[in-house]
Amino acid sequence: MINEFDLSAVSGLSESEAARRLSADGFNELSSAKQRHVFAIAFEVVREPMFLLLVACGAIYLLLGDAQEAFMLLGFVFFIMGISFYQERKTERTLEALRDLSSPRALVIRDGRQRRIAGREVVRGDTLLLAEGDRIPADGVVLSSGHLLADESILTGESVSVRKVAADGIIEMGRPGGDNLPFVYSGTLVIQGQGIAQALATGQQTEIGRIGKALQELDTEQTPLQRETRRLVARLAVLGITLCVIVVVVYGLTRANWYEGFLAGITLAMAILPNEFPVVLTIFLALGAWRISKKNVLTRRMPAVETLGSATVLCVDKTGTLTLNHMSVAMLFANDEYCDIRTSPGEELPETFHELSEFAILASHRDPFDPMEKALRELGNYYLSGTEHLHDDWALVREYPLSSSLLALSRVWRSRDGEDYVIAAKGAPEAIFDLCHFNESQLSQLSERVITLANEGLRVLGVARSRFKQTDLPGEQHDFDFEFLGLVGLADPVRPTVPDAIKECYSAGMRVVMITGDYPGTAENIAGQIGLTPMDQIITGPELDKMDDAQLRERIESVNIFARVVPEQKLRLVSALKANGEIVAMTGDGVNDAPALKAAHIGIAMGERGTDVAREAASLVLLDDDFSSIVQAVKQGRRIFDNLKKGMAYILAIHVPIAGMTLVPVLMKWPLVLLPVHIAFLHLIIDPACSIVFEAEPEEADLMHRPPRKPNEPLFGNRTWSVSSLQGLGILVILAVLYGFALHRGQAESEARALAFTTLIIANIGLILINRSWKHSILATIRAPNAALWWVTGGAVLFLGLVLYVPMLRAVFRFGKLDSRDIGVCLLAGAASIAWFELFKFVSRRRAKSH
């Protein structure tokens, strides 16, 4: 006990020695990564091809005198740079959060005097005084323990506090987790009791320091979508610039008109250069993050929004994620009867279990800090309030604490008007059996009861009572004559929404893997409660240590439960899944989860119960800690990817006729159809269509009943390229035939250009309509609400009317006047250019039904 430790004999370090060690070892905090200044981050952002492309397009518009379009594009550059800079700063706060957690205030002995100092000033060899509620400032060995319990869940993932005992001497630090060990760890919390410890490790050398170092060394990967878009933009940029040069040279040499050739080349480059891609990608992800935030999920890294929808494996931390991280009484056993409180919530507690509950509460602190004692107090407040079984007016006379030889504690009470002492004892069942002096037959019967509760995944406590009439209390608990009252089974309850959320994950083709620091039996029981399958195999941390990477990669394909896992192993498991080609999402809330959260493709932290470290390392944060929000996030992620694919397919399709109608007149020696002003007009439709209309599309009915897209499946797969190209070519053929026919029959160049352009606008609107779904017809999709669609369509028609019939605008666009018959021809030609795809969808639906 701590009062048996002679504090007067402890002088601790001298201030001069402490200063020397502080100078040699550094402050007791985690070193941060070298912070990059604003200009370094800005340089990294602007050297990306997609941003260079935006700048190039803006410069082209400036050269052509279209300042409005130029400044709009350049505005996107600064907007995206601002977002990127903000995200970089948020990421750097991860290590700052770790430093805050690892540097609490500390009570130490120096020069024979107790001093309260900043945790960052603690050094190796300092004598630490620990009390209930203290955050431990350094890793150390316990010299004296008075019923010392610590919560090490941030390092081990276990919600149950662990008991600390005094060491015989100064020894090397061991790993966290487990009862009756003489080690305490930086950042963990003293739940109960008091103690004296000697600091053995500070700063980067502590357990939490090693986690911080691992976190610092991890780099955040680009998502597959980012890498694919970057490659596509670079390739199209090279193609556009190459064709631009060819057109300028060919036009200038064949027609001796270098000015017209320059206009033709610039127009072709603008038609091919996909400046919409980076804009669309940013807007989709930003609006997706906003939509997901309405489902109580905060997005810290926008690309993770899309990646979440393609996740194939969800790694789940048990404590605080699947469970509430809040102990509660689940079952009671008394008088050879069981009471399962979980199956009868709200019902009255049978009289048989009142006395058991009464003395379990009496054996606990009146204002408890320990999670198990809190659970017992909550049980009493709920079921025994207003009865004679709660004794808030009784006086505590003495406490007999836990010891390494007897894992039970007793509290001695006296009522106001009573003469006898009332003793309540609780502790490990075998310790309570020992206090009650049971024979072999009784031990055998009650041990079976304990096993029954343990098989339910419960933490089991025994409870006993005694009375004592003498004035002088005995020195040991064994001197009382105890009567056994029963057993209490406590659980860290599963979140109510988890089982249904797990089912939805399975229906969506996502595999769920539980990674926990808890024991295999508890993990298996929780897996059964939430419906995790299969459950026939469990790998423990020690078993995992014996495997090499190849063995782990093989086993992890079929094992979904990992127990007794330490932080470094969580990171290794995530790495093994990634090596197998999986897209990994990882949930967690503790410091121990931070490296794995950052290493996973999508790290998902708990917002309410999670540590700052976990939240800062994660890509997504569940604001309400509700596991079911993950399913909503997956749903939104899939919807975003579906709509992004539709938008990108539309961009590819519309660029084919635009580029083609720039190139065909050059090859056919026709007058130019499209000039930069026409391209700018088209962008008034293309930009909002691909970035707003398709983003607002509702999800398709089978969204959560199909497997995730394959990790290596590109956004622009062969099917997307083929269909989009055919859509664009269909429009290009109609436009080229219509324009050539108009010129052939002697119509003026301005009238032919107006015909072709009007048809292109109508076909463009048709492209938007048919690409809303590659399965359902236009008539079916029109019934799906999308207000943005009608604003864009109405705006396109209105602006087209203005440029066709307002003389000043018609002159700027070099159009001739069209009559109603010409408009009818444009409508028919535009509809004909997309009709084949509606027929294609109809045939595809018929085939799907027949199969």
Side-chain angles (χ1 to χ4, degrees):
M1 294 175 56
I2 193 167
N3 54 7
E4 296 174 351
F5 192 89
D6 188 4
L7 273 178
S8 62
V10 179
S11 60
L13 297 175
S14 65
E15 289 292 347
S16 59
E17 176 62 18
R20 189 190 68 77
R21 295 189 182 190
L22 188 64
S23 176
D25 297 342
F27 284 108
N28 178 32
E29 59 187 10
L30 305 182
S31 62
S32 61
K34 184 179 179 181
Q35 293 189 358
R36 292 170 294 165
H37 50 72
V38 176
F39 297 107
I41 295 175
F43 177 71
E44 288 186 8
V45 171
V46 300
R47 70 181 183 182
E48 292 289 327
M50 61 177 61
F51 296 113
L52 292 174
L53 186 57
L54 280 174
V55 173
C57 289
I60 289 172
Y61 280 118
L62 279 176
L63 289 173
L64 296 172
D66 191 344
Q68 182 177 356
E69 187 76 8
F71 288 128
M72 182 187 73
L73 287 174
L74 294 174
F76 273 120
V77 173
F78 290 109
F79 174 71
I80 298 170
M81 282 176 58
I83 291 176
S84 300
F85 175 74
Y86 174 74
Q87 294 298 332
E88 290 283 354
R89 289 292 303 135
K90 292 276 285 183
T91 300
E92 289 178 4
R93 287 175 54 195
T94 302
L95 292 173
E96 293 175 15
L98 266 172
R99 288 199 304 275
D100 291 342
L101 186 58
S102 64
S103 185
R105 302 291 292 178
L107 183 62
V108 301
I109 297 177
R110 287 188 182 170
D111 288 325
R113 292 179 293 118
Q114 295 185 20
R115 286 194 54 201
R116 181 74 67 176
I117 64 174
R120 68 195 298 265
E121 297 175 3
V122 171
V123 298
R124 285 182 302 105
D126 260 330
T127 302
L128 309 173
L129 302 183
L130 307 175
E132 187 172 301
D134 283 351
R135 184 73 68 178
I136 297 170
D139 287 7
V141 62
V142 178
L143 304 179
S144 175
S145 171
H147 194 199
L148 186 63
L149 296 176
D151 177 1
E152 297 180 351
S153 61
I154 65 169
L155 293 175
T156 65
E158 295 182 44
S159 57
V160 178
S161 53
V162 291
R163 188 167 43 257
K164 300 298 178 181
V165 297
D168 295 333
I170 304 300
I171 56 178
E172 292 186 2
M173 287 295 299
R175 299 305 304 273
D179 282 324
N180 299 321
L181 295 176
F183 308 113
V184 290
Y185 300 91
S186 176
T188 61
L189 189 66
V190 177
I191 293 294
Q192 189 171 305
Q194 50 191 332
I196 300 172
Q198 185 163 4
L200 297 185
T202 60
Q204 293 282 86
Q205 305 307 313
T206 62
E207 283 291 319
I208 198 173
R210 282 191 280 272
I211 293 174
K213 187 176 181 181
L215 191 63
Q216 187 176 334
E217 291 172 353
L218 287 173
D219 292 324
T220 302
E221 294 183 8
Q222 281 192 324
T223 67
L225 179 61
Q226 287 177 308
R227 292 193 294 268
E228 183 183 354
T229 305
R230 184 177 178 178
R231 287 194 302 268
L232 179 64
V233 167
R235 290 169 184 172
L236 290 180
V238 171
L239 175 63
I241 293 171
T242 302
L243 290 178
C244 171
V245 173
I246 292 174
V247 166
V248 171
V249 172
V250 170
Y251 199 101
L253 292 176
T254 58
R255 303 193 190 187
N257 189 334
W258 291 97
Y259 173 75
E260 288 280 344
F262 178 76
L263 279 180
I266 290 295
T267 304
L268 180 60
M270 292 173 63
I272 293 179
L273 294 178
N275 59 294
E276 298 94 352
F277 282 169
V279 175
V280 169
L281 185 58
T282 300
I283 290 177
F284 262 70
L285 297 181
L287 290 178
W290 171 72
R291 292 182 188 278
I292 289 179
S293 71
K294 295 197 291 184
K295 305 294 184 181
N296 291 313
V297 180
L298 174 67
T299 304
R300 293 196 61 258
R301 287 177 51 238
M302 285 193 297
V305 173
E306 171 271 328
T307 312
L308 182 61
S310 62
T312 58
V313 176
L314 175 59
C315 295
V316 187
D317 180 63
K318 178 187 74 68
T319 305
T321 307
L322 297 176
T323 65
L324 293 169
N325 199 17
H326 175 80
M327 298 295 287
S328 65
V329 177
M331 292 185 71
L332 300 171
F333 171 80
N335 298 319
D336 211 31
E337 294 182 25
Y338 289 101
C339 177
D340 192 337
I341 295 174
R342 298 167 298 185
T343 60
S344 54
E347 296 182 9
E348 290 187 5
L349 188 68
E351 184 70 31
T352 304
F353 303 96
H354 282 195
E355 195 171 31
L356 169 63
S357 303
E358 173 187 358
F359 276 83
I361 295 167
L362 285 172
S364 306
H365 284 76
R366 189 166 273 157
D367 185 18
F369 202 72
D370 179 78
M372 289 189 290
E373 293 193 347
K374 281 184 177 180
L376 294 170
R377 174 60 64 174
E378 289 172 3
L379 176 76
N381 291 340
Y382 189 84
Y383 289 105
L384 302 180
S385 180
T387 70
E388 73 279 7
H389 295 289
L390 295 182
H391 307 287
D392 291 333
D393 58 341
W394 284 16
L396 178 65
V397 179
R398 181 172 174 179
E399 176 177 305
Y400 295 86
L402 286 161
S403 67
S404 57
S405 59
L406 183 66
L407 301 180
L409 64 87
S410 296
R411 294 169 69 83
V412 182
W413 299 89
R414 175 176 276 170
S415 64
R416 287 186 176 182
D417 52 358
E419 296 182 0
D420 296 346
Y421 295 110
V422 177
I423 301 95
K426 77 175 192 308
E430 59 272 16
I432 296 298
F433 299 163
D434 184 23
L435 288 176
C436 295
H437 305 292
F438 286 147
N439 57 39
E440 290 296 326
S441 175
Q442 291 172 311
L443 287 174
S444 178
Q445 291 179 1
L446 288 172
S447 294
E448 291 181 5
R449 308 303 187 188
V450 174
I451 292 172
T452 299
L453 294 177
N455 286 341
E456 293 283 330
L458 305 179
R459 176 96 169 186
V460 185
L461 294 177
V463 180
R465 70 173 179 186
S466 180
R467 288 187 179 272
F468 196 75
K469 295 186 177 182
Q470 299 177 29
T471 305
D472 296 329
L473 290 169
E476 295 183 359
Q477 298 180 69
H478 272 293
D479 294 329
F480 295 111
D481 186 15
F482 280 106
E483 175 190 354
F484 180 69
L485 294 179
L487 301 170
V488 178
L490 298 108
D492 184 2
V494 167
R495 292 181 180 274
T497 55
V498 168
D500 288 340
I502 293 289
K503 289 180 183 176
E504 288 197 70
C505 287
Y506 288 152
S507 70
M510 290 179 64
R511 177 184 166 200
V512 180
V513 175
M514 181 166 69
I515 303 174
T516 177
D518 231 324
Y519 289 93
T522 304
E524 186 175 14
N525 182 270
I526 294 295
Q529 291 184 51
I530 65 175
L532 189 71
T533 57
M535 294 171 46
D536 57 338
Q537 296 184 68
I538 300 177
I539 293 179
T540 64
E543 292 171 344
L544 195 150
D545 277 337
K546 297 175 183 177
M547 299 180 189
D548 59 28
D549 290 343
Q551 290 174 317
L552 178 58
R553 287 181 58 181
E554 181 181 353
R555 291 293 306 280
I556 207 170
E557 291 182 351
S558 58
V559 178
N560 291 329
I561 304 175
F562 294 84
R564 302 301 291 166
V565 171
V566 297
E568 293 86 348
Q569 292 171 329
K570 290 187 178 185
L571 179 58
R572 190 179 171 206
L573 289 172
V574 171
S575 300
L577 287 166
K578 290 169 65 177
N580 282 349
E582 305 282 5
I583 299 296
V584 182
M586 164 85 182
T587 68
D589 62 353
V591 174
N592 59 315
D593 299 320
L597 286 173
K598 190 171 182 181
H601 293 102
I602 314 106
I604 309 169
M606 300 296 132
E608 290 182 353
R609 296 183 183 273
T611 61
D612 287 344
V613 180
R615 287 192 290 267
E616 293 298 331
S619 305
L620 304 173
V621 178
L622 302 185
L623 297 178
D624 57 359
D625 284 13
D626 189 344
F627 186 81
S628 63
S629 297
I630 296 176
V631 179
Q632 294 301 317
V634 169
K635 191 174 187 178
Q636 288 296 323
R638 290 190 175 193
R639 174 188 162 278
I640 289 165
F641 181 78
D642 273 6
N643 291 345
L644 184 59
K645 195 169 185 177
K646 295 172 185 176
M648 294 296 194
Y650 160 75
I651 293 173
L652 287 175
I654 193 59
H655 273 274
V656 171
I658 294 174
M661 288 307 291
T662 305
L663 188 58
V664 167
V666 175
L667 299 177
M668 300 297 294
K669 296 186 178 181
W670 293 342
L672 295 178
V673 179
L674 299 177
L675 302 173
V677 67
H678 301 123
I679 303 296
F681 180 91
L682 285 166
H683 278 290
L684 292 177
I685 304 172
I686 297 172
D687 290 347
C690 57
S691 59
I692 299 176
V693 172
F694 286 106
E695 194 284 328
E697 276 296 295
E699 66 270 8
E700 305 219 8
D702 65 341
L703 190 71
M704 293 299 286
H705 297 281
R706 65 189 191 213
R709 70 183 181 105
K710 295 178 181 178
N712 57 353
E713 178 188 337
L715 176 65
F716 300 99
N718 291 333
R719 184 168 183 265
T720 303
W721 276 107
S722 301
V723 173
S724 296
S725 299
L726 287 173
Q727 288 177 349
L729 286 171
I731 296 172
L732 175 59
V733 169
I734 295 291
L735 289 176
V737 170
L738 180 65
Y739 186 61
F741 182 74
L743 292 175
H744 179 72
R745 74 175 188 170
Q747 283 186 273
E749 174 187 325
S750 59
E751 291 181 7
R753 179 180 293 114
L755 274 172
F757 187 80
T758 302
T759 303
L760 178 58
I761 296 298
I762 293 170
N764 191 359
I765 295 172
L767 267 182
I768 297 172
L769 293 174
I770 64 173
N771 278 293
R772 291 183 69 194
S773 173
W774 283 14
K775 297 179 182 178
H776 306 291
S777 67
I778 289 179
L779 295 177
T781 55
I782 282 177
R783 292 194 289 268
N786 189 332
L789 170 68
W790 305 117
W791 280 105
V792 170
T793 303
V797 173
L798 174 63
F799 284 125
L800 179 62
L802 291 175
V803 299
L804 286 177
Y805 297 107
V806 174
M808 181 181 69
L809 293 176
R810 193 167 61 236
V812 170
F813 280 76
R814 302 185 191 180
F815 285 164
K817 191 172 183 179
L818 301 182
D819 56 25
S820 57
R821 186 180 62 179
D822 293 325
I823 297 296
V825 170
C826 294
L827 286 171
L828 288 174
S833 67
I834 61 167
W836 71 269
F837 190 62
E838 283 297 292
L839 180 62
F840 170 78
K841 289 193 285 186
F842 174 76
V843 173
S844 298
R845 288 196 301 272
R846 292 292 297 270
R847 287 181 177 174
K849 288 181 180 178
S850 65
H851 287 85

